[in-house]
Amino acid sequence: MKKVTILSLALILSVGANAQQNNPKLNLQLDKATTSVSPTLYGLMTEEINYSYEGGLYAQLIRNTSFKDMKRGERRPGRPPFESQSPDHWALTDSTAAEAKVENSGGINKANSSALCLNVKDASKKSGLVNDGFWGFPVRATTLYKGGVYLKSDNPNASVTVSLESLDGKTVYASTKIQNIGKDWQKYPFTLSTGKKISATKDTRFRITADENGRYWITRVTLFPPTFNNRENGSRVDLMTMMKNMNPKFLRFPGGNYLEGNRFADRFNWKATIGDVDQRPGHQSPWGYTSTDGFGLLEFLNWSEDVGAEPLLAVFAGYTLNGDHLEGDALQPFIQDALDEIEYVTGGADTKWGAQRIKDGHPAPFNLHYVEIGNEDWFDRSGSYTQRYRQMYEAIKAKYPQLHLISTTGRGTNMAEIMNEPGVKLDIIDEHYYRGAGDMYRAAFQYDNYDRKGPKVFCGEWATREGEPTTNMNAALGDAAWMTCMERNSDVVIASCYAPIFVNVNPGGSQWQSDLMGFNALNAYGSPSYYAQVMFGNYLGDKVVPVSAENIPQFDLPMNHFDSIRGAKPSSVPELYYVATKDSKTGVVNLKVVNAVGKAQTLDINIEGADKVVSKALKVQLSSAKPEDTNSIDDPTKIIPVKSSAKVGKQFTQVFAPYSVTVLQIQTK
Ligand code: AHR
């Protein structure tokens, strides 16, 4: 007779007892896993918002590099604030020894026509021109910073010292001299190197001090710490690493509203964002600050390549946020711009714009499959999108028949109207969802009955907006429930990306509450939502496993502030959300379970259609005691995924922690 140990007897009794209590049950039908998971299901969306690039991902550290932004003066009744003579983010440490004035002509080129004239009357007083950066500069030990500055002077013996120093100027972390400054504009590259004994700090400033009396003209001051993959004009290492860890399959850029701009002049005019960075004029972001466009089209493309994603290019479609729109012949130049842009991304050396990309430093074409026509064109109440979309669709398809084109009509807007127009093809529609967790639970079965013959869905912006500046655990639960829906239906939802992904957490850094990753000059962290996405993106098979469920408990949704704003009705929703995928080559099954409530849940899990189930599985769990728990810049890892092992089999019982997102990675044969 087989020996029954006390432990296994206890297990049998406990499983038996649980079964009698009608545990929630999931049946995974591995032999029916025929629906493919879209290879581009999880990606990234980005735009210049919340200081995402300037003062964020773009590693350039000097703020107001070309003295274009002026300090805002007092607001006069009925009039906008006047602009003073002083450049924003620059100051003199001693105005008795020197004067500084911005000159708006005579700069280095048309794109950068402003310069600062520093008139030094008593160099012995060492009056410094200081820049406060994007809420400080990241100063770390043994670090090489690479900078550049355009200078000229009327003193033949002119020289300056550039340095990184503490806010009071008493500690100099790194310093170097620039000599032989001529009377004509010249770019002076420099390096700053910190010593071994520095504790990392952001309470710092950058300083230029003239060593001799005389007039100095200064512009395009730049400074970079080491960048990801050591790219010149590159990106922050920490944020790039965090994105790479999400295993994103595409990068949607350049927006968002940043694509459209408030006015035509402020659209993402890609041709003004390529080539020599010192020749880029920059433009106004719709989110209230200036972009230097140092982070331009090629930098977006390099970013996608560096995180292992393909670009998903959004092209300007003749509509701006103030409602201006172009149709017919007036749209033609913008259609040509879009065709040129696609050529820049994908063309060979024998094409005009492919050759330009090669000249700009990227010989290989990028792997482009998806192009989006505009952004959120459901806001164009004139109804011009039908025509604009049709014109652009036809022109792009004629030249690039292999590309998949995405329309931005959105569900329930003018889609029906577009579909009814003869000859207009709607292959993929971009849907955007910003919701509270409750709405995410309500929507978590939204695509189960979607018309499989209709257009595919690109969920190009979505987020559970709870928590600020980055989202909390409750948002991560809503996100994860929503991802189970997209994953289960990824024959329809071919791609999805969260927005916005970045926020500079300094006061004034955020224009959009509840974002995915937060950072300051020195550090970065991921929200619980970020970690939920890391889990969903990394534990994913290529086939959807049908899962049938029994006894799933329901709970009454508490109405939160966001629900009320959106006019949501009180309702009851499932406590548990789930999805399973299988790797058809390796037999690995990834079962994801979301427990939305504050009690542990014991589930019976039944795996059908496998000859063998390896008894030890990997368990990855993200959970917290309270739904409002969160990570922050000061407590960055309070909620992170924890790995352990779980005992599984063809039939097994597993306990899912309160407020948790769990992946069970099960090897089957
Ligand atoms: O993600 C923030 C904004 O939300 C995007 O710029 C816009 O497309 C949407 O309205």
Side-chain angles (χ1 to χ4, degrees):
M1 202 176 116
K2 221 175 167 187
K3 241 181 164 181
V4 178
T5 62
I6 296 186
L7 190 68
S8 56
L9 184 63
L11 193 66
I12 291 165
L13 288 175
S14 91
V15 170
N18 285 332
Q20 275 165 24
Q21 289 161 10
N22 289 335
N23 285 341
K25 185 172 179 186
L26 301 181
N27 298 299
L28 279 59
Q29 296 166 303
L30 299 199
D31 46 347
K32 302 217 169 94
T34 50
T35 301
S36 291
V37 174
S38 167
T40 50
L41 180 58
Y42 295 120
L44 295 165
M45 184 271 171
T46 174
E47 66 174 317
E48 182 60 274
I49 184 175
N50 299 330
Y51 292 84
S52 288
Y53 319 138
E54 304 282 337
L57 183 65
Y58 182 37
Q60 201 290 113
L61 299 171
I62 306 285
R63 194 158 178 184
N64 198 8
T65 57
S66 309
F67 306 99
K68 289 179 180 173
D69 295 334
M70 303 301 284
K71 278 202 179 86
R72 286 299 172 102
E74 275 167 43
R75 184 175 283 279
R76 293 156 297 171
R79 300 215 207 141
F82 68 86
E83 287 192 341
S84 69
Q85 283 278 293
S86 328
D88 224 357
H89 302 288
W90 292 93
L92 272 180
T93 57
D94 179 352
S95 51
T96 63
E99 281 170 3
K101 204 175 112 204
V102 171
E103 294 180 356
N104 289 321
S105 59
I108 52 169
N109 53 42
K110 228 170 117 197
N112 286 294
S113 54
S114 305
L116 183 122
C117 177
L118 181 67
N119 190 354
V120 181
K121 292 175 184 150
D122 184 355
S124 68
K125 287 193 172 161
K126 301 277 171 212
S127 176
L129 179 68
V130 289
N131 185 266
D132 59 11
F134 293 92
W135 297 275
F137 290 80
V139 171
R140 295 187 173 86
T142 333
T143 302
L144 184 73
Y145 298 80
K146 292 183 187 169
V149 54
Y150 280 83
L151 290 167
K152 62 178 183 173
S153 176
D154 60 4
N155 179 347
N157 299 316
S159 76
V160 298
T161 299
V162 293
S163 50
L164 277 169
E165 62 179 28
S166 57
L167 289 177
D168 60 7
K170 288 187 182 151
T171 308
V172 176
Y173 297 108
S175 157
T176 192
K177 233 179 197 317
I178 299 174
Q179 289 168 311
N180 303 321
I181 299 170
K183 63 181 180 21
D184 298 317
W185 280 121
Q186 199 185 316
K187 186 171 184 170
Y188 296 85
F190 63 86
T191 57
L192 291 172
S193 191
T194 56
K196 279 188 201 152
K197 291 195 177 146
I198 293 170
S199 310
T201 175
K202 62 179 173 49
D203 296 331
T204 53
R205 63 188 187 183
F206 173 83
R207 177 177 185 138
I208 305 177
T209 312
D211 301 324
E212 308 292 336
N213 287 356
R215 284 190 300 168
Y216 296 74
W217 286 266
I218 304 168
T219 197
R220 273 298 291 162
V221 194
T222 56
L223 186 69
F224 286 82
T227 59
F228 193 78
N229 283 350
N230 294 318
R231 283 201 192 264
E232 241 182 74
N233 199 44
S235 299
R236 258 175 84 151
V237 176
D238 51 0
L239 293 172
M240 289 294 283
T241 308
M242 285 177 73
M243 286 187 284
K244 204 169 176 188
N245 290 344
M246 293 169 77
N247 194 21
K249 298 301 180 202
F250 67 88
L251 172 70
R252 174 185 180 226
F253 65 83
N257 291 160
Y258 188 57
L259 170 73
E260 306 161 278
N262 284 333
R263 306 164 305 160
F264 277 113
D266 302 329
R267 72 189 186 282
F268 186 78
N269 181 10
W270 71 271
K271 284 177 181 162
T273 75
I274 57 169
D276 181 1
V277 232
D278 296 332
Q279 301 274 354
R280 301 184 194 174
H283 75 289
Q284 186 69 23
S285 147
W287 299 101
Y289 56 94
T290 310
S291 168
T292 60
D293 285 331
F295 205 92
L297 178 59
L298 187 57
E299 285 72 27
F300 281 110
L301 292 163
N302 287 338
W303 167 9
S304 64
E305 188 170 271
D306 284 350
V307 296
E310 63 179 68
L312 189 155
L313 180 69
V315 294
F316 178 73
Y319 171 78
T320 58
L321 293 167
N322 64 356
D324 287 347
H325 56 272
L326 300 162
E327 287 170 90
D329 289 347
L331 190 62
Q332 280 310 327
F334 297 94
I335 297 177
Q336 190 55 49
D337 258 2
L339 293 173
D340 293 347
E341 190 172 9
I342 296 168
E343 188 173 287
Y344 184 88
V345 177
T346 62
D350 54 338
T351 63
K352 178 179 172 192
W353 291 104
Q356 180 67 46
R357 185 201 65 242
I358 294 167
K359 190 168 159 232
D360 293 345
H362 200 284
F366 289 91
N367 193 21
L368 182 74
H369 296 107
Y370 292 97
V371 170
E372 176 159 30
I373 299 174
N375 175 61
E376 294 194 337
D377 282 275
W378 57 80
F379 283 117
D380 177 6
R381 300 292 176 216
S382 75
S384 75
Y385 186 63
T386 309
Q387 182 55 28
R388 291 188 286 111
Y389 172 77
R390 188 217 298 261
Q391 277 180 262
M392 296 201 75
Y393 182 100
E394 284 170 2
I396 296 172
K397 272 282 178 187
K399 189 159 179 205
Y400 300 101
Q402 77 282 12
L403 289 179
H404 304 291
L405 303 184
I406 303 170
S407 96
T408 70
T409 51
R411 181 179 302 276
T413 51
N414 51 354
M415 185 177 96
E417 183 193 323
I418 287 185
M419 289 189 83
N420 287 337
E421 290 245 351
V424 175
K425 293 228 176 71
L426 215 48
D427 303 339
I428 307 168
I429 51 174
D430 182 356
E431 299 182 359
H432 293 180
Y433 297 109
Y434 293 106
R435 296 164 163 152
D439 279 344
M440 283 303 194
Y441 300 142
R442 284 187 198 98
F445 301 91
Q446 168 174 321
Y447 294 115
D448 289 7
N449 299 313
Y450 185 88
D451 174 9
R452 261 53 194 175
K453 295 200 186 93
K456 301 285 185 198
V457 172
F458 169 44
C459 212
E461 291 179 30
W462 66 268
T464 308
R465 297 188 65 192
E466 296 190 18
E468 174 182 11
T470 49
T471 54
N472 59 25
M473 187 64 202
N474 209 40
L477 294 169
D479 291 343
W482 175 241
M483 284 189 280
T484 64
C485 177
M486 294 195 290
E487 196 167 305
R488 188 169 54 249
N489 292 286
S490 82
D491 56 326
V492 167
V493 183
I494 52 146
S496 69
C497 43
Y498 185 102
I501 54 171
F502 291 137
V503 62
N504 188 316
V505 298
N506 283 290
S510 160
Q511 292 85 50
W512 186 276
Q513 290 168 0
S514 47
D515 304 287
L516 197 66
M517 299 174 233
F519 57 83
N520 60 19
L522 203 56
N523 297 312
Y525 71 97
S527 63
S529 297
Y530 163 79
Y531 287 109
Q533 284 193 55
V534 170
M535 289 164 67
F536 272 69
N538 282 287
Y539 297 99
L540 185 64
D542 59 350
K543 295 283 174 201
V544 179
V545 176
V547 181
S548 63
E550 295 163 39
N551 306 328
I552 301 293
Q554 300 261 323
F555 74 113
D556 291 333
L557 272 182
M559 296 283 284
N560 64 23
H561 170 70
F562 204 76
D563 289 332
S564 331
I565 292 176
R566 296 183 63 84
K569 301 255 169 0
S571 57
S572 85
V573 292
E575 293 181 355
L576 295 161
Y577 301 84
Y578 42 83
V579 66
T581 58
K582 175 183 152 184
D583 186 316
S584 46
K585 285 202 191 85
T586 62
V588 166
V589 172
N590 287 298
L591 170 64
K592 293 160 180 164
V593 176
V594 183
N595 181 5
V597 296
K599 67 168 194 255
Q601 308 258 13
T602 304
L603 266 72
D604 295 334
I605 295 165
N606 184 22
I607 298 182
E608 291 167 14
D611 292 338
K612 195 176 166 209
V613 174
V614 175
S615 62
K616 189 174 168 190
L618 171 69
K619 180 175 179 176
V620 188
Q621 181 184 287
L622 183 76
S623 67
S624 74
K626 292 188 272 119
E628 58 278 12
D629 284 346
T630 198
N631 296 335
S632 67
I633 198 82
D634 298 321
D635 193 358
T637 53
K638 185 180 168 118
I639 304 168
I640 55 170
V642 176
K643 287 186 180 170
S644 61
S645 59
K647 197 163 183 317
V648 299
K650 284 190 182 174
Q651 275 103 35
F652 64 100
T653 299
Q654 185 64 213
V655 177
F656 293 87
Y659 303 122
S660 66
V661 179
T662 305
V663 178
L664 286 178
Q665 189 177 61
I666 303 166
Q667 178 69 62
T668 68
K669 292 191 175 146

